[in-house]
Amino acid sequence: MRFELTPRTTVSPVARAVAPVAAFIVSFLIAGFVIWLMGRSPIAAFNVYVVQPLSDPWSLQELLVKATPLALIAIGLSYCFRANLWNIGAEGQYVMGAVLGSWLALKTHGTDAGFWVLPLMLILGMIGGALYGLIPAVLKTRFGVNEILTSLMLVYVAQLTLDYLVRGPWRDPKGFNFPQSVTFDPSATLPPVMEASRVNYGTVFALVAVLVTAVVLGRTLFGYRLKLTGDAPRAARFAGFSSKATTLAVFAISGGLAGLAGISEVSGQIGQLQPSISPGYGFTAITVAFLGRLNPFGIMVAALVLALTFIGGESAQILLKLPLDLTQAFQGMLLLCVLAADALVSNRIRFVTRGGGK
């Protein structure tokens, strides 16, 4: 006996809306069971993961700080995923955006350069991410290379490039041999939104990206083109939409926003280049994009939820001695549960016996 999935003729909008919530609850139940097997209290873990971060003012600021790069990257990924193109390399585009933007900060370090440095750094960060995102797009459109493999492999190239730079030519000569660049000048630092706050203008960029994307995807011909290309590629071709131009455009947008997230983090929260400037934002953003239904406002909410797991995971590591890898496992499990919930909402399960009977 085997089971098959057959598409439903009509899908309930209520079921589609409830599916991510159900996936989140199921993920927590599975995680609680795993924590119980590890000899810890699931209730105490829930308190550390969820309740404490949401009841502390400092943690709420951290929630916005963590959610900002996730939202920016996931918004960019939503352009690719809507067009049925799979950009898995946002982590590399994030790193290369940070590298190119930081190049200017290091070149102008100690020169008393003016206010123009930071805006130009942000632009270079977007250009760096966009150019890096275009590599798998060009390889796909010119040679038919699978964009999943190339974008994923380019992540390691970007990480090794960053590692070489901060251990070699860009290393701070006064940094006690630590693999890091000099600390950026104030003119190359992204300021906080309010004094004595850890939330910087990167959060404003994320909100602007959400609003602009909502208009582009919902009110413009380009948004319709992405939807048609993703849902019915043959119809898109008959309508005169070039699949190659679409591929190049969405990868450039996705890489540009990932690059903006990278340079915003480096010039804001971190203040210098280090070998590890991301706890896996580029990969986690894939979960954020799907959890948010590729909708800009949904992505913003999903980014806050995933940011909560980052903060809760760090607290659980300290207070409950739980491994930080458990957080990444939970995020992966959450993505699987969301995909499973989507499959069950869109399809019926049909059991088929060996003879073909139901």
Side-chain angles (χ1 to χ4, degrees):
M1 186 178 71
R2 68 179 190 278
F3 69 88
E4 294 179 347
L5 296 177
T6 55
R8 297 180 189 272
T9 53
T10 58
V11 177
S12 167
V14 176
R16 192 168 287 282
V18 169
V21 179
F24 194 73
I25 294 172
V26 171
S27 303
F28 257 104
L29 291 175
I30 296 173
F33 181 67
V34 172
I35 290 170
W36 177 73
L37 289 178
M38 296 172 70
R40 311 294 197 282
S41 166
I43 296 176
F46 182 80
N47 182 51
V48 171
Y49 265 93
V50 179
V51 178
Q52 291 185 11
L54 292 178
S55 57
D56 179 66
W58 184 87
S59 296
L60 290 176
Q61 284 194 48
E62 284 300 301
L63 198 64
L64 289 176
V65 169
K66 295 284 187 186
T68 294
L70 291 174
L72 270 174
I73 300 171
I75 288 288
L77 289 176
S78 70
Y79 285 88
C80 284
F81 295 161
R82 276 178 175 255
N84 206 21
L85 294 164
W86 303 99
N87 178 11
I88 311 298
E91 182 80 5
Q93 294 143 27
Y94 170 96
V95 170
M96 293 311 287
V99 167
L100 190 58
S102 299
W103 168 81
L104 181 62
L106 300 179
K107 280 292 180 184
T108 58
H109 178 69
T111 61
D112 294 327
F115 67 92
W116 54 270
V117 174
L118 182 61
L120 197 53
M121 282 173 59
L122 297 173
I123 293 171
L124 285 175
M126 294 183 70
I127 292 174
L131 290 178
Y132 208 65
L134 280 172
I135 295 175
V138 171
L139 290 174
K140 180 179 177 64
T141 55
R142 292 294 300 274
F143 305 108
V145 181
N146 187 302
E147 76 276 16
I148 297 175
L149 295 178
T150 52
S151 61
L152 181 60
M153 287 190 293
L154 283 169
V155 172
Y156 303 105
V157 176
Q159 290 174 336
L160 290 173
T161 301
L162 171 64
D163 196 69
Y164 162 73
L165 289 173
V166 296
R167 294 179 190 275
W170 288 4
R171 183 165 58 183
D172 181 6
K174 299 179 181 177
F176 302 101
N177 214 27
F178 283 104
Q180 60 191 27
S181 71
V182 296
T183 304
F184 293 170
D185 291 334
S187 61
T189 303
L190 199 63
V193 176
M194 294 184 295
E195 193 174 349
S197 168
R198 277 183 48 78
V199 181
N200 61 36
Y201 278 90
T203 305
V204 178
F205 301 153
L207 291 175
V208 171
V210 167
L211 296 175
V212 170
T213 300
V215 174
V216 169
L217 296 181
R219 302 288 181 181
T220 66
L221 179 62
F222 183 70
Y224 174 72
R225 172 180 173 170
L226 297 188
K227 180 175 173 53
L228 188 62
T229 302
D231 293 346
R234 290 187 63 189
R237 286 196 295 273
F238 284 133
F241 296 143
S242 166
S243 62
K244 291 183 178 179
T246 302
T247 302
L248 295 173
V250 295
F251 268 86
I253 294 171
S254 181
L257 287 175
L260 178 61
I263 188 59
S264 297
E265 278 294 291
V266 170
S267 66
Q269 303 300 330
I270 304 173
Q272 62 182 172
L273 272 182
Q274 300 171 353
S276 178
I277 58 174
S278 166
Y281 285 138
F283 295 116
T284 307
I286 298 172
T287 307
V288 172
F290 281 105
L291 193 62
R293 301 284 185 191
L294 305 184
N295 179 289
F297 298 105
I299 285 173
M300 198 70 209
V301 175
L304 291 169
V305 171
L306 267 294
L308 184 65
T309 66
F310 273 117
I311 298 172
E314 292 169 358
S315 300
Q317 187 183 22
I318 298 170
L319 299 176
L320 301 177
K321 309 300 181 189
L322 288 171
L324 194 59
D325 292 341
L326 187 65
T327 300
Q328 295 179 340
F330 172 75
Q331 291 169 350
M333 190 163 46
L334 181 59
L335 177 60
L336 287 177
C337 288
V338 169
L339 295 177
D342 281 347
L344 292 176
V345 167
S346 304
N347 301 275
R348 294 180 188 279
I349 298 178
R350 191 180 68 152
F351 292 94
V352 181
T353 61
R354 182 171 297 180
K358 302 176 187 176

